[in-house]
């Protein structure tokens, strides 16, 4: 698994964790919501760990975006982090060919 994939998965886990803890009763099955209520501290620790690990992956300088196996952005090559709007634009351009 590549660094960018791992980072994306961890960031998604972080965001899903926050949403699930805030609105869990409305969007999760009852058994899952009950388990999270009974293990709230464990859930929060898991969310924090995902965020810390994701932050460490970004701080290494390794952030590359590929589309269909082709590199479309490299933080190391560019010497900067890409803003989300620009990232969305280059991904759309890559999708169009």
């Amino acid at each position: 698994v590549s660094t960018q994939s791992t980072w994306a998965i961890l960031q998604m886990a972080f965001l899903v964790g926050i949403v699930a803890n805030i609105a869990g009763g409305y969007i999760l099955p009852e058994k899952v919501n009950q388990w999270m209520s009974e293990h709230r501290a464990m859930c929060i620790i898991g969310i924090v760990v995902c965020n810390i690990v994701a932050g460490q992956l970004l701080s290494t300088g390794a952030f590359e975006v590929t589309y269909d196996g082709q590199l479309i952005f490299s933080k190391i090559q560019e010497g900067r982090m890409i803003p989300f709007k620009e990232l969305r634009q280059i991904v759309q351009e890559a999708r169009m060919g």
Side-chain angles (χ1 to χ4, degrees):
V1 177
S2 66
T3 302
Q4 67 265 19
S5 296
T6 304
W7 176 80
I9 291 167
L10 290 169
Q11 284 294 322
M12 184 59 66
F14 173 72
L15 294 173
V16 168
I18 289 173
V19 170
N21 270 289
I22 292 171
Y26 302 106
I27 61 173
L28 296 174
E30 180 58 35
K31 287 185 178 188
V32 174
N33 190 40
Q34 182 179 356
W35 186 89
M36 288 181 67
S37 294
E38 293 170 2
H39 301 91
R40 188 161 302 276
M42 187 185 310
C43 293
I44 292 171
I45 289 169
I47 292 168
V48 170
V49 168
C50 285
N51 195 41
I52 290 170
V53 172
Q56 288 297 317
L57 288 173
L58 281 178
S59 70
T60 64
F63 181 78
E64 294 182 332
V65 179
T66 59
Y67 182 80
D68 201 22
Q70 195 164 18
L71 181 68
I72 58 174
F73 178 81
S74 170
K75 179 181 172 190
I76 294 172
Q77 289 177 358
E78 295 285 327
R80 65 185 178 91
M81 189 61 185
I82 190 169
F84 179 74
K85 286 183 179 182
E86 185 180 344
L87 176 61
R88 183 175 52 192
Q89 179 182 354
I90 65 168
V91 169
Q92 288 174 344
E93 289 171 2
R95 287 177 61 199
M96 293 181 173

